[in-house]
Amino acid sequence: MNTICIMCPMGCPLTVEQEGDEIKVAGNTCKRGDKYGRDEFTAPKRSITTLVNISGGGVASVKTSDSVPKERIFDVIAEIGKLVADENVKIGDRIAENLLGLGVDVLITGRK
């Protein structure tokens, strides 16, 4: 598998291969790239950022507190789409806990 590491601005081109029980990562310039390559090969995950409505008008930007399995991205986005933040919400506030049982919270990152 070929991919680009997204753990820092370097964007190292990675080659990830499995030989027997061993996963080999090549092309990384740091340990973060090695970990990213292994994770991407075995169980890819992504952080989610999107918008939610604020009661009374406006929108707030939100993010998941941790990465979610890549195959659950659309489920997570649909669930976040049902949320409405309180009009007094502040940056850093948690508006959902343990979303879909995935162990991630939804946090406010900004508002307009």
Side-chain angles (χ1 to χ4, degrees):
M1 173 182 92
N2 294 316
T3 189
I4 302 294
C5 180
I6 60 172
M7 297 308 295
C8 79
M10 293 272 299
C12 296
L14 304 179
T15 301
V16 185
E17 298 174 338
Q18 185 169 6
E19 294 180 11
D21 291 340
E22 187 178 357
I23 296 172
K24 295 184 177 186
V25 179
N28 57 298
T29 57
C30 70
K31 291 181 181 181
R32 291 182 297 170
D34 183 73
K35 180 180 179 336
Y36 176 80
R38 290 172 191 282
D39 290 347
E40 190 67 9
F41 188 80
T42 58
K45 294 183 173 185
R46 299 290 184 270
S47 293
I48 305 296
T49 59
T50 189
L51 300 173
V52 297
N53 290 318
I54 298 175
S55 63
V59 295
S61 58
V62 296
K63 70 173 186 170
T64 52
S65 60
D66 201 358
S67 301
V68 299
K70 192 174 176 182
E71 67 272 8
R72 297 296 306 272
I73 288 174
F74 293 110
D75 298 332
V76 169
I77 291 171
E79 194 67 18
I80 292 173
K82 299 174 187 176
L83 300 174
V84 176
D86 181 82
E87 62 187 341
N88 298 316
V89 74
K90 298 181 296 300
I91 293 173
D93 286 352
R94 181 180 326 152
I95 63 167
E97 293 183 29
N98 193 20
L99 195 71
L100 297 174
L102 295 171
V104 298
D105 300 336
V106 179
L107 308 172
I108 299 292
T109 58
R111 61 177 290 169
K112 293 184 182 203

